[in-house]
Amino acid sequence: LPLRRIFKAVCVRCSSTSPGPLPRLSAACLLHLCPGMRDAEHSRYRRRAGLPVLSLLLALALFAGGASGQQQPPVPPEMRGVQAQLTGLTNDVARTISDRFSFCVSDTQEDWNGAFNYTSDLGFVERCLAETRGDMPQRLCTPAEAKFYFTSLYNPKGEKNLFLETNINCGISAWSPGCEPGWACSVGPIPAANDNETIPLRATNCQACCEGFFCPRGLTCMLPCPLGSYCPRARGNSTTGLCDPYKYQITPNSTSGCGGADKWADFGSTEEIFCPAGYHCPSTTSKLSCSSGHYCKLGSTREEKCVIKGSCKENEENENIIILGACLVGIIGVSLLVVYNCSGQFLTIRERRKARSRENAIQLARQQLRAHQGWKAAKQIARKHVTGVQDHLSRTFSRRRSFRQQTDLENSSHRVQEARLMGSTGPNERSDSIVFSAQNTSEISEAMPSVVMDISNDGEVVATNDKPAPKGKHRSTQTQIFKYAYGEIELEKARQEENKNMSFTGVLAKVKELQKEMTRPLLKVEFKNLTLSLGKRKLLRSVTGELQPGRVTAVMGPSGAGKTTFLNAVAGKVTGYQVTGSVLVNGAHGSIRSYKKIIGFVPQDDVVHGNLTVEENLWFSANCRLPARMSHRDRVLIVERVIESLDLQGVRNSVVGTVEKRGISGGQRKRVNVGIEMVMEPSLLILDEPTSGLDSSSSQLLLKALRHEALEGVNICAVVHQPSYTLYNMFDDLILLAKGGLIVYNGPIKTIEDYFSTLGIHVPDRVNPPDHYIDILEGIVKPESGIKAKHLPVHWMLYNGYEVPSDMKDDLKAMGEQSPDVDINRSMSGSTPHCLPAGVSNAFAQERNRLEHRLSKPGDLSSRRTPGILKQYKFFLGRVTKQRLREGRLLGVDFLILGLAGICLGTIAKLSDPTFGMPGYIYTIIAVSLLCKIAALRSFSLERLQYLRERESGMSTLAYFLARDTIDHFNTALKPIIYLSMFYYFNNPRSSIGSNYIILLSLVYCVTGIGYTFAICFNPGSAQLCSALIPVVLTLLSTQRTTPTFLKNMSYPKWALEGFIIANAKRYPGVWLITRCGLLFRSGFNIHNYQLCIVVLFMYGIFFRIVAFVAMVLLKKR
């Protein structure tokens, strides 16, 4: 503190008794201008001049905490001992304050220096010295009194005390005038003890409290008012009888009336001491109006400049920054529109380029195919002509045949080349058939344009046209890849046309040739005594048969016969059921789940991604499920072949569509559902009602595609409902099920009528055989032979020598009585022997299968290495990005609702300085949690069926989860900006927008993870209900003082609210210190926990994401 001014004031007051303004004297007046006092009143001067300086410095240093950090004037030599004593005392007091109030003091030096650094204006000290005639230091509170006052403001429960406790000066036995509010007394001629425990006796020379100081009721000393307060002398109000502006009663029997300020506590108790809004108080005794272009909040020490000067008038309390929020929202909105539109245009341009390359490739492939067919026709003409010439030469020159053959050999090659160019042959051309047959292949292949691309070892595509390919690596273009793909497709079409008129021997040769070219592993599935039970109800009973590779098997039967259940049992997709019997793969025992990477399962419902195009659905399945080392051109060939075979060319770039958004037709959607499994080149393809909803032509098209797959060795099994006769004959085998899950027939289509003829069942004329058989099984048609429909499964068991279950022995006896002509004993003689009784055998098999299914983890026996997690993560990331771009309108609605919530809450919950904006932040936590959780539900609940299908096919769950979470990080980062751009600029808190954004970002990350957990663990209705109730309940619990601390710490709203309040509380210095400490103490917050709040919220988000992922792995569709 500047000692010069204090010495000057003391010197003048000691040497002059006349009232009036203090003259301007130098600091040396104490020694040079008052020489008379040096001898006569030496002792009194030391007490009135030295101790005042010491006490004043002690008090100010007490509240500054020894932390002003500013350089002080030089201390005279006679004051060095006093300074050493003062330094030790202030350090002890600062240490005591920091230990007791550390939860609300972020930086001791910054906070206490901002509250009690009076070095800029010490005028109130000079005036107080003048008023007290140099006795001011004897009226200042000691450290013990200051500690007594501040510790008495609140009780241990955090409740405010109305009165101070009694002490030596103000008690029942003694109550001096200085105990009244706004009054103070002197300690007398004996200096007060400078310790933290003893309150000195202070009861002499009582008078009103000086301006800039406050004198509490129950204490007889003065404390300096903090910066940001306005502490003038009180004035009596004759009407109310109170001392304005402090609202305490006039001291009884007082000659001077009201005193000074009486109390400094929180805003609710001492609102009148705070510098009013619209004004700024540079010192505790001056109040200035806020000038135009500036604003002054409650408790301000200086005026702040407005960003937009025209928006702030004189005495403006706060800045209107709504226009800044509107500009920020506009910038974000325009940016999002640009991103979504540009991304859509980018995807459109990319698809157009691909379509252009594809069309060019198709045209070139067809031209090359026509050229190939032309040369082939020329070849056949030349061959016929040469054969005729050979016969003519043989008849004419039979004697010299050996000589002529050698001569004509040279001429024939010449003539054939000319015939290739001219299209006709002359009568003088000669050749030999044997030589032509040896050379025709090379000649034709050299003459026709090449339709096959030469693929180098590194996967680059090089065109092998008439010109030789240049050396080195060449970048493969989209057109070149399409050339290769459509060249192969057109070639396959040509071969199929040739095969139509092929003889039986040629067909066998073609099959052998295809078998040599097969690259897929063959899977033969056998099922023996397969029984599936749910409780006491049996869905399948003693099903025995096989599915052979290279054949298309149809599964038919009446409704409720268990056709879909049978497919699920064969594919190993049944969980929660009691399964007995065995399923063999290639004759070996083991779980069929070990081959899931090469098994395709087409569900009955069209489980496809509606917000992707047809081609994108197929490409995603191909990328994730085909071998990782397969070249890109082979992938293109597979995808284009499937699109061509399923007649999806016209809708390849059309969005599939959802229930809300119309897309392709139902039949096209069904074909896309099948194509998703065909592009992964399965060895076993199981389809559940693939022709349902398709017309006859579409069904035949689909069956043709399936038969083409069967030619490559694929084992195909499909459930079919009432196929037409043409469609029925396109199948190779038939499995006919009766009600109760019993097999009636399992064998080739061609022999089914012969089998039923042996039972006396004949198909009438002009009746579709499968319809007639199903009508019999339904009981609609009665067989002429009188056989009952429920006995047909037993007849099949006896026909094949299978064991008849014990619960069907009664049917067996009834059959013997009704059909004595059936040789039951002969059929039974072929039954397989069993060493154990049927009940024991079934129980043993049931327990074994149950343990194997639950405890064993089947390995991968498919010999296919699909892409790893990182590559699948890349594919999932691309797919989710496209989905989000197509959901731009939905995201826009989310952002709009969030912005409207920010406007409403920012307007309704206006910032209240006494509460540091706590109500607005509570509403913010509830609103943001609710909206972000509901939005997070869409990430997983809407695609549950698609995920289950992809998971069963062997795709990575981790890659799927991480990809969706990664894309959601965009919303996590953007939503706090959208909300704060409205809430912050309407509410205008004191904390910075950056600190609010960090807390809100961590909150959104946390509640998004909770939303993931709800979406995965509950059905959509329950998940939405939990998302709406949980934020409200947890927020109410975390804001109630009666809630246990453990439960508060377990709820995420507590940490979010604490982070918001801490960020705001740091911006309330000076006069707000007690209000800050009281609010943090009552709420149980700590000002040092800002970073901890952020870390806890992010840890909650990570924890719930782990829970969601584990639930996704463990939980299955019920």
Side-chain angles (χ1 to χ4, degrees), residues 526-531 543 580-584 589 848-849:
E526 301 174 77
F527 36 93
K528 297 181 179 180
N529 293 325
L530 186 61
T531 302
V543 176
T580 59
S582 59
V583 178
L584 309 180
H589 286 276
R848 182 193 65 187
N849 292 336

Side-chain angles (χ1 to χ4, degrees), residues 500-782:
K500 289 182 178 179
N501 299 324
M502 189 176 296
S503 62
F504 181 74
T505 306
V507 170
L508 293 179
K510 188 65 177 178
V511 170
K512 292 181 180 179
E513 180 182 352
L514 290 175
Q515 289 178 352
K516 293 180 181 179
E517 297 177 357
M518 288 180 185
T519 57
R520 309 185 196 182
L522 302 180
L523 291 185
K524 180 182 179 181
V525 181
E526 301 174 77
F527 36 93
K528 297 181 179 180
N529 293 325
L530 186 61
T531 302
L532 192 67
S533 304
L534 181 62
K536 296 182 178 180
R537 180 186 176 189
K538 292 185 178 181
L539 305 179
L540 293 177
R541 300 174 62 186
S542 301
V543 176
T544 302
E546 63 179 10
L547 302 175
Q548 298 181 3
R551 300 182 68 84
V552 183
T553 303
V555 180
M556 300 182 190
S559 298
K563 300 181 292 296
T564 301
T565 305
F566 166 73
L567 293 185
N568 290 328
V570 171
K573 293 180 177 290
V574 288
T575 55
Y577 295 92
Q578 191 176 9
V579 182
T580 59
S582 59
V583 178
L584 309 180
V585 181
N586 292 335
H589 286 276
S591 176
I592 197 170
R593 293 180 298 165
S594 302
Y595 301 88
K596 63 181 179 181
K597 290 185 178 180
I598 56 175
I599 295 178
F601 188 91
V602 180
Q604 183 175 354
D605 299 324
D606 300 332
V607 183
V608 295
H609 294 279
N611 47 12
L612 295 179
T613 63
V614 172
E615 187 175 8
E616 289 168 352
N617 273 286
L618 299 180
W619 261 111
F620 177 79
S621 180
N623 285 330
C624 291
R625 301 174 67 181
L626 286 173
R629 294 185 178 181
M630 179 177 287
S631 62
H632 180 62
R633 63 139 191 177
D634 291 332
R635 294 173 186 265
V636 173
L637 173 60
I638 293 171
V639 173
E640 295 298 328
R641 180 189 293 154
V642 170
I643 292 176
E644 185 75 19
S645 62
L646 295 177
D647 194 22
L648 296 173
Q649 284 283 9
V651 295
R652 65 186 306 152
N653 294 325
S654 300
V655 177
V656 174
T658 58
V659 178
E660 296 84 6
K661 185 177 180 180
R662 178 67 178 174
I664 60 179
S665 66
Q668 293 167 342
R669 186 184 180 94
K670 176 71 70 175
R671 281 176 275 164
V672 173
N673 189 28
V674 177
I676 288 176
E677 302 299 329
M678 290 177 61
V679 293
M680 51 85 63
E681 291 198 329
S683 295
L684 173 62
L685 182 59
I686 300 175
L687 305 95
D688 191 1
E689 300 186 18
T691 59
S692 298
L694 300 181
D695 55 14
S696 179
S697 60
S698 298
S699 299
Q700 292 183 23
L701 180 68
L702 178 60
L703 260 295
K704 288 180 181 178
L706 294 179
R707 289 198 63 83
H708 183 271
E709 292 290 312
L711 290 177
E712 299 184 7
V714 181
N715 191 342
I716 300 176
C717 181
V719 172
V720 184
H721 270 301
Q722 294 182 340
S724 64
Y725 185 75
T726 303
L727 199 67
Y728 169 73
N729 286 325
M730 294 178 70
F731 289 95
D732 298 317
D733 298 324
L734 173 65
I735 296 178
L736 191 59
L737 294 176
K739 288 187 177 181
L742 293 164
I743 282 189
V744 175
Y745 177 80
N746 180 17
I749 291 286
K750 298 179 180 180
T751 62
I752 185 173
E753 295 187 24
D754 297 336
Y755 167 73
F756 279 104
S757 298
T758 60
L759 300 177
I761 300 176
H762 302 279
V763 180
D765 295 337
R766 298 184 179 182
V767 175
N768 194 11
D771 293 340
H772 182 67
Y773 299 142
I774 293 175
D775 289 342
I776 293 176
L777 295 175
E778 285 278 10
I780 299 175
V781 177
K782 302 296 183 181

Side-chain angles (χ1 to χ4, degrees), residues 37-50:
M37 296 177 60
R38 190 180 304 167
D39 299 327
E41 299 182 2
H42 182 67
S43 60
R44 184 174 65 87
Y45 172 79
R46 292 181 59 188
R47 186 169 62 251
R48 292 293 180 89

Side-chain angles (χ1 to χ4, degrees), residues 21 227-228 258 414 431 451 613 638 658 687 818 872 993 1012 1054 1069:
L227 293 176
C258 296
H414 230 21
S431 180
V451 296
T613 63
I638 293 171
T658 58
L687 305 95
Q818 294 179 5
Q872 290 192 34
I993 191 172
Y1012 291 166
K1054 181 262 182 185

Side-chain angles (χ1 to χ4, degrees), residues 901-956:
I903 294 175
C904 295
L905 297 181
T907 304
I908 296 173
K910 278 292 186 182
L911 176 66
S912 176
D913 286 322
T915 60
F916 294 173
M918 181 177 288
Y921 289 129
I922 291 176
Y923 300 150
T924 293
I925 293 171
I926 295 176
V928 172
S929 298
L930 190 148
L931 295 176
C932 293
K933 281 182 184 177
I934 291 179
L937 297 180
R938 296 196 300 264
S939 295
F940 292 97
S941 61
L942 297 181
E943 291 191 355
R944 180 174 295 184
L945 295 178
Q946 288 87 338
Y947 159 72
L948 291 173
R949 177 178 182 177
E950 292 169 355
R951 173 187 173 181
E952 292 296 332
S953 65
M955 294 188 191
S956 172

Side-chain angles (χ1 to χ4, degrees), residues 210-260:
C210 298
E211 290 187 351
F213 294 86
F214 70 95
C215 301
R217 183 183 185 277
L219 277 180
T220 58
C221 59
M222 295 191 306
L223 291 170
C225 292
L227 293 176
S229 64
Y230 180 57
C231 300
R233 184 66 62 84
R235 295 181 181 181
N237 190 327
S238 59
T239 303
T240 61
L242 302 178
C243 295
D244 291 337
Y246 305 112
K247 308 301 182 185
Y248 61 83
Q249 292 182 352
I250 298 176
T251 305
N253 302 324
S254 174
T255 58
S256 58
C258 296

